[in-house]
Amino acid sequence: MQSSYDQQKAYDIICFSHLRWNFVYQRPQHLMSRCAASRRVFYVEEPIWGGEQAFLSISKHENGPYIVVPHVPDENRGDHSEILRELLDGMIADQKLAAYCLWYYTPMAIQWTRHLRANALSVIYDCMDELSAFRGAAPELQRHESELLSAANLVFTGGFSLYESKRHLHRNVYPFPSSVDVSHFSKARISSTDPDDQAVIPKPRIGFCGVIDERMDLDLVRSVAQSRSNWHFIVIGPVVKISESDLPRSSNIHYLGMKKYEELPAYMAGWDAAILPFAKNEATRFISPTKTPEYLAAGKPVVSTSIADVIRPYGTMGLVHIADDAEQFVASLEKAMAEDSVRRQNEVDNFLARECWSRTWGRMSELIEDSMLTVFGARQVPKTAEKPAARAAAVGRSA
């Protein structure tokens, strides 16, 4: 590896994620797509088990990263770390990755990537969720996260609640709550074509879009739907980690399945309101739902349960209605659908103007380059990061 920082500006990114690239389009896809506009990005997914031999499948996503999928035989599950190390080393050699940063979404990947740190320009941990609180989390995840925090040069968090949780565990932690592609979702404000599977559903329509798992308050959805039988509830997204038999069923709840990111504005255009019916549990304690700004950019009034990172800033600014029980939720939906949409949208647009993913990636890039300047000794960057109000210019938000 060369020692001159100026010669390292064309660094590549090796990203390790627990999410499949072609799953729900969210934070990793937004950031890594923007990163890939100026450098190579290798997005390494978790292994697929099966087959007779270990190998990596590498495909170039259109205008985006290289998607890297390890395939490991079932018989090697118990000792797969060595196999994954060898596969990664082969990829680095084949792709001539001389200058790279390591970017982690999953601490579990630290098991087979420790040896890469010696040659990495920087190690970044983008902690988008408290994964250890999710159903089915590996018991060793917290131990691997501690190791990752010790190795990282920078830690980003997916919201302010996570920031408060992690800020004392590392010297350089920065909050980057969910951003939004306003130009994409604002198409919902002018779309006139209702998708076929939604067009047959009567109005008013209340919509949800996202992963349907243990974070959704199914009892709340059931109760709200029962109390307003003339309202129709559109649910878009995959069902994960819970049984479909647990989902509330009635004639006014419509499960339309998973849709492509490109299709979402057309569906949202036909909604009268959007909801975030999250349960209050350990899995939702630190979440910063990407759907909040997306719904708002689409021009929809929004009602959410009292999730900390929705209350601040959206609830306190009056951009989202907050309610927890069914009676409050229904009343909030009625109020939201009756409010002055023009005034609300002006307030929303003023807020979202500084919340786009491109700006978020730009601020992250500056911090990454600062961290590399420290490594190469070009100039000293304070080891104790300014927290976070003094750093508002960098993160673009006040605490």
Side-chain angles (χ1 to χ4, degrees), residues 129-325:
D129 284 308
E130 185 60 80
L131 296 179
S132 63
F134 285 13
R135 183 177 296 181
E140 64 270 28
L141 193 148
Q142 288 182 310
R143 174 167 54 86
H144 291 315
E145 184 184 59
S146 295
E147 181 181 349
L148 178 54
L149 286 166
S150 297
N153 300 100
L154 283 171
V155 176
F156 303 140
T157 65
F160 283 111
S161 296
L162 263 181
Y163 169 78
E164 294 296 337
S165 174
K166 306 296 182 184
R167 63 184 298 189
H168 303 297
L169 303 178
H170 195 277
R171 65 185 183 278
N172 288 323
V173 183
Y174 298 89
F176 284 97
S178 294
S179 302
V180 63
D181 184 343
V182 174
S183 62
H184 179 66
F185 284 95
S186 63
K187 296 173 186 174
R189 306 183 201 178
I190 58 175
S191 176
S192 59
T193 303
D194 214 1
D196 291 344
D197 56 348
Q198 182 170 272
V200 297
I201 299 173
K203 290 189 174 186
R205 299 175 187 153
I206 315 300
F208 171 84
C209 177
V211 178
I212 305 158
D213 58 15
E214 77 274 17
R215 293 172 295 176
M216 180 178 279
D217 189 335
L218 301 178
D219 289 335
L220 177 63
V221 173
R222 181 181 294 107
S223 296
V224 172
Q226 288 175 347
S227 68
R228 288 295 183 274
S229 59
N230 62 315
W231 291 359
H232 288 263
F233 295 82
I234 312 292
V235 183
I236 291 174
V239 179
V240 178
K241 294 184 291 183
I242 62 173
S243 172
E244 293 209 11
S245 63
D246 293 332
L247 299 178
R249 301 284 181 179
S250 69
S251 60
N252 64 332
I253 303 178
H254 310 270
Y255 297 95
L256 302 188
M258 186 170 171
K259 305 298 178 184
K260 294 179 181 178
Y261 179 73
E262 293 77 14
E263 298 175 299
L264 297 181
Y267 281 91
M268 293 181 184
W271 299 352
D272 296 282
I275 56 174
L276 295 164
F278 287 112
K280 300 297 292 296
N281 56 35
E282 281 302 304
T284 63
R285 182 180 174 189
F286 299 109
I287 61 172
S288 173
T290 307
K291 292 305 164 195
T292 316
E294 291 176 351
Y295 289 159
L296 292 171
K300 302 295 113 177
V302 181
V303 178
S304 173
T305 50
S306 55
I307 298 302
D309 280 17
V310 177
I311 294 174
R312 184 183 66 168
Y314 301 101
T316 56
M317 294 182 67
L319 304 181
V320 169
H321 298 264
I322 305 297
D324 282 317
D325 63 39

Side-chain angles (χ1 to χ4, degrees), residues 8-25:
Q8 308 300 332
K9 287 185 177 178
Y11 64 89
D12 298 313
I13 292 279
I14 308 175
C15 175
F16 303 97
S17 181
H18 58 294
L19 297 173
R20 301 288 176 197
W21 183 265
N22 290 323
F23 189 55
V24 176
Y25 201 91

